[in-house]
Amino acid sequence: MQTTKPRSTLVIACGALAREFLAVKTANGWDHVDVTCLPAIWHNYPQKIPDGIRRKIRANRARYDEILVLYGDCGTGGLLDEVLKEEGVERIDGPHCYSFFAGAEVFDRMQEEEIGTFYLTDFLVRHFDRFVIKGLKLDVHPQLLPMYFGHYKRVMFLVQVPDKALEKKAAAAAARLGLPLEIHHTGLAGIEPFLKPRDAAA
């Protein structure tokens, strides 16, 4: 029986998801799938994301059979979806990576249980100082901590790949914010179905 060759695919991803994408690609042996990333720090400047993705699409469209976008709305206020509609490109469902890592239903339950939840992923734990402390200038103005985090009640660490060292770093991050830590293991199942080759779907 002849096997259909998977379509050559480019995934345009947030830099914060690069490690997780590569783990899924390697585990599945998807040699036909490539990735290009936009800077993770753009989450602090979401207005850059739509045009950045448009440029990536147009620069690579002729080289691939399919382009996918591994981004939530990520604070663009719907502008990213407008760009993707114009360009005819699909993105993963969900407003942000917390939702598609945990699964929409699980994430919604977490929010209903405690709306004052600050979420961390593996990436954010690794880069907590850069993206949270320095990103919010708390290293220079620590007195702003209550203003930013006074309404939060807990930190939820959404774990993609179990790692005791990361759990310790997450605990230290939560302590720095003065909040209790809870841990929920998501794995990578939230992104794998979206990345699965269309021609190879079972």
Side-chain angles (χ1 to χ4, degrees):
M1 181 177 178
Q2 187 175 6
T3 302
T4 302
K5 182 179 179 181
R7 304 168 72 190
S8 62
T9 301
L10 177 68
V11 175
I12 302 172
C14 170
L17 302 176
R19 183 188 293 252
E20 287 72 24
F21 165 82
L22 291 173
V24 171
K25 174 181 174 173
T26 300
N28 287 278
W30 291 339
D31 295 333
H32 63 287
V33 182
D34 295 330
V35 66
T36 183
C37 293
L38 296 177
I41 196 65
W42 280 12
H43 278 287
N44 291 356
Y45 312 96
Q47 70 276 9
K48 294 185 177 183
I49 295 172
D51 284 342
I53 288 181
R54 189 196 298 275
R55 289 194 297 271
K56 289 281 191 182
I57 291 170
R58 293 184 175 180
N60 291 282
R61 192 190 299 276
R63 299 174 53 209
Y64 292 90
D65 297 323
E66 180 179 43
I67 294 177
L68 301 173
V69 171
L70 192 58
Y71 257 93
D73 176 76
C74 296
T76 69
L79 294 179
L80 175 56
D81 285 334
E82 290 181 13
V83 166
L84 297 181
K85 183 177 180 180
E86 291 170 6
E87 299 294 334
V89 171
E90 180 184 359
R91 75 167 175 88
I92 192 169
D93 288 336
H96 39 62
C97 61
Y98 313 127
S99 179
F100 56 71
F101 273 138
E105 291 184 8
V106 172
F107 179 80
D108 288 346
R109 284 201 302 269
M110 289 178 177
Q111 283 293 91
E112 290 173 6
E113 178 182 292
E114 178 51 76
I115 194 169
T117 300
F118 184 73
Y119 294 91
L120 293 174
T121 61
D122 291 5
F123 177 89
L124 281 176
V125 170
R126 288 190 182 93
H127 303 282
F128 181 78
D129 282 348
R130 179 186 175 196
F131 280 82
V132 179
I133 300 302
K134 293 181 180 178
L136 297 175
K137 300 189 184 303
L138 294 174
D139 55 329
V140 180
H141 302 290
Q143 72 276 11
L144 296 178
L145 182 66
M147 183 181 77
Y148 284 122
F149 292 96
H151 63 290
Y152 285 105
K153 304 300 182 184
R154 67 177 179 180
V155 172
M156 180 67 72
F157 178 23
L158 302 175
V159 178
Q160 284 75 70
V161 179
D163 184 328
K164 291 297 183 183
L166 274 189
E167 288 187 15
K168 290 181 179 179
K169 289 190 71 172
R176 192 163 184 182
L177 300 179
L179 297 169
L181 175 69
E182 296 184 27
I183 296 175
H184 178 79
H185 291 265
T186 69
L188 298 172
I191 64 173
E192 186 169 353
F194 174 73
L195 298 172
K196 188 173 183 179
R198 278 32 176 188
D199 290 347

